[in-house]
Amino acid sequence: MGHIAVLSNPLSGKGRGQRVTEEALDHLRQRGADVRVYVGGSPAETRRLAMLALDAAPDGLVLVGGDGTLSGILDVVCAAGVPVTVVPAGTGNDLARALGLPRTDVAAAVELALTGLPRPIDIGEVRTSTGTSLFLTVAALGFDARVSDRTNRLRWPSGALRYYLALLIVLVRLRPLDFTIRADDGPVIPARGTLVAVGNTASYGGGMPVCVGAVPDDGTLDVVAVGPLGRLRLVRLFPVLLRGTHLARPEVHHLRAREVTVAAPGLVAYADGERVGEETCTISVRAAALTVMTDAERGDAHVR
């Protein structure tokens, strides 16, 4: 047998990554695995270490961190073709949720590197005038992306209060966007509205099922468009969204496509928590581009 590379982001989950890494390493060593450890303290360092780890041709890569940690090295991992074991240590962990991976039991999560079932999954690709980005979960365009953008630009306050302040600022300034949407080879359709979400998985933001029903191995993306809403109606939509029953609402439109182009003046797009584009975004699916180790007993639990 060869070795297992463990790539860790100790800062993920507000520092939870450090503890989770130690628990994961203890389990692997107790199981007799040959482990090589790489700890990255920044996205740039994590990317450099990922290339270093994969150049050594490991049997598998254990990734300790959040969705953003894996998202930042997706191109490197997919090119290497090495199966990834996700040990969730972020704040959202929506990929683990989508795949039915252990999210609180570190030993069970890292054990999949040794005894799990390889499962090919899709990833999303966002192309804009400035380049190409890959993502795992949901690309958000419109209201929620603007909240993320405003949160990142605020310097005060800290923690959750900064997000809530950004939410209030964007809500006060709420205006519908003049979206145009083109799915696959269909026509360009005007779609004035509040937001568009394009999902490879059902949820983002730690379990908000905006693209309820989306699964990451069906070769398609789920597109959810919300029509124009006033402030009060938007606030009232959030509990419905959290319950995953919003697709039945008349102001919500849902379709599936392999590729969708979304454009709007002033559009901002975020995916896996990172800004990925603006104005015009073409989002497509790369089918079965990534192999993730999953539980053999639960590996098909989320397949539609």
Side-chain angles (χ1 to χ4, degrees), residues 61-173:
L61 174 68
V62 171
L63 194 287
V64 182
D67 294 333
T69 305
L70 178 54
S71 180
I73 58 171
L74 266 179
D75 57 335
V76 177
V77 177
C78 291
V82 173
V84 177
T85 300
V86 177
V87 181
T91 54
N93 302 319
D94 288 288
L95 179 65
R97 183 177 283 102
L99 297 177
L101 304 177
R103 286 180 282 132
T104 58
D105 188 334
V106 176
V110 76
E111 173 66 21
L112 296 177
L114 305 174
T115 60
L117 177 73
R119 177 176 171 183
I121 68 168
D122 309 332
I123 62 172
E125 175 187 283
V126 183
R127 300 191 305 277
T128 71
S129 60
T130 57
T132 299
S133 302
L134 304 180
F135 68 96
L136 295 161
T137 60
V138 177
L141 308 97
F143 175 80
D144 43 359
R146 286 183 170 182
V147 173
S148 297
D149 204 47
R150 175 61 67 173
T151 301
N152 289 342
R153 287 189 283 126
L154 289 174
R155 295 294 174 260
W156 178 92
S158 61
L161 289 177
R162 184 168 61 177
Y163 174 82
Y164 293 131
L165 177 59
L167 179 64
L168 180 62
I169 292 171
V170 176
L171 192 61
V172 167
R173 299 176 179 177

Side-chain angles (χ1 to χ4, degrees), residues 154-198:
L154 289 174
R155 295 294 174 260
W156 178 92
S158 61
L161 289 177
R162 184 168 61 177
Y163 174 82
Y164 293 131
L165 177 59
L167 179 64
L168 180 62
I169 292 171
V170 176
L171 192 61
V172 167
R173 299 176 179 177
L174 179 66
R175 297 288 186 278
L177 288 173
D178 292 317
F179 291 107
T180 59
I181 300 175
R182 183 185 186 192
D184 293 326
D185 295 325
V188 176
I189 300 174
R192 184 172 174 80
T194 304
L195 66 89
V196 176
V198 182

Side-chain angles (χ1 to χ4, degrees), residues 246-288:
H246 54 288
L247 297 188
R249 296 287 291 263
E251 64 268 33
V252 178
H253 304 279
H254 173 229
L255 61 90
R256 293 191 177 100
R258 292 185 57 82
E259 180 175 282
V260 59
T261 297
V262 182
L267 179 69
V268 175
Y270 269 70
D272 292 344
E274 299 295 329
R275 183 167 176 151
V276 294
E278 55 189 40
E279 300 296 337
T280 300
C281 300
T282 297
I283 305 168
S284 57
V285 63
R286 292 188 183 182

